[in-house]
Amino acid sequence: MHLAYFTILHWLTLFILLVIFVLLSIIALKQTNRKILVSMLFSNFLVITMLAVFSMFVIDKYTKKAKLENVTQSRVLLTESFVLSGQIRNIGNFKIGKCKLEVKLVNNAITSGKVNGSNIFNPISGLSELFGKKKNQKPSTIIKEFVIAKNFKSGELRNFSISMKYPPYFEKTYMRYKLHCH
């Protein structure tokens, strides 16, 4: 998160949490046992910090809203890629720092008639990343993120266009895209 994109609601929430922190710290300072005092101050700090972090994400989710409009997709066979284009509109009342579009391509092997055990269940572990992947292994899911808007004012409409490599072995592909703004 970037401080420049905090709304008045972010600052108000932080102020309220700061007041609660100070009040609980004053109550804790009345404790005469040093061990209990330290544990109360530490737990107070920990709880208020966690509340602040989670509340920033929640406020972002409900104040920084955008939607995609007129989205079209086309496949470019010459470069084995596809293009996703359209418009993004800030429908919230606040400025948005950045909007990312997550595009997920899934090769639907089950309906393409080439079903075997490795298409349905392919266990993976962290060790495969260390020792490398098999040369003939082709991923059945590809996920990419693209920044499609920055410094996005309330009510503003912008065009976007992204290009992504399309694996030639994909058949009957399922595509999903999701917008994340903060």
Side-chain angles (χ1 to χ4, degrees), residues 6-20 48 51-59:
F6 273 15
T7 64
I8 189 70
L9 298 174
H10 289 89
W11 292 112
L12 184 63
T13 302
L14 288 175
F15 178 74
I16 290 170
L17 289 173
L18 180 65
V19 168
I20 293 171
I48 294 296
L51 278 173
V53 169
F54 289 131
S55 64
M56 294 303 108
F57 286 115
V58 169
I59 290 172

Side-chain angles (χ1 to χ4, degrees), residues 138-157:
K138 297 176 181 176
S140 62
T141 302
I142 297 174
I143 301 173
K144 299 275 185 182
E145 273 192 0
F146 303 92
V147 175
I148 60 173
K150 286 184 177 181
N151 301 325
F152 203 29
K153 295 180 181 138
S154 176
E156 189 176 355
L157 177 71

Side-chain angles (χ1 to χ4, degrees), residues 32-140:
T32 56
N33 187 340
R34 183 151 175 85
K35 288 182 181 180
I36 294 175
L37 171 69
V38 171
S39 66
M40 287 177 72
L41 288 175
F42 179 71
S43 61
N44 181 21
F45 175 76
L46 195 64
V47 168
I48 294 296
T49 302
M50 286 179 15
L51 278 173
V53 169
F54 289 131
S55 64
M56 294 303 108
F57 286 115
V58 169
I59 290 172
D60 258 4
K61 181 175 181 169
Y62 292 106
T63 60
K64 312 261 176 110
K65 296 180 184 180
K67 72 175 185 175
L68 299 173
E69 298 177 355
N70 305 321
V71 178
T72 60
Q73 54 185 329
S74 58
R75 191 164 169 196
V76 181
L77 296 176
L78 184 64
T79 60
E80 290 194 10
S81 63
F82 76 92
V83 176
L84 191 66
S85 60
Q87 297 172 320
I88 181 172
R89 182 183 305 270
N90 183 348
I91 58 172
N93 296 324
F94 301 98
K95 187 176 181 180
I96 297 175
K98 187 188 303 184
C99 285
K100 294 179 185 176
L101 184 65
E102 178 186 273
V103 180
K104 181 177 184 178
L105 292 176
V106 179
N107 189 17
N108 196 354
I110 293 175
T111 59
S112 66
K114 298 178 182 176
V115 179
N116 61 32
S118 66
N119 292 103
I120 296 171
F121 178 72
N122 189 6
I124 57 173
S125 72
L127 295 177
S128 64
E129 295 296 323
L130 282 176
F131 299 113
K133 296 180 181 179
K134 298 176 186 173
K135 290 184 180 180
N136 61 353
Q137 185 178 4
K138 297 176 181 176
S140 62

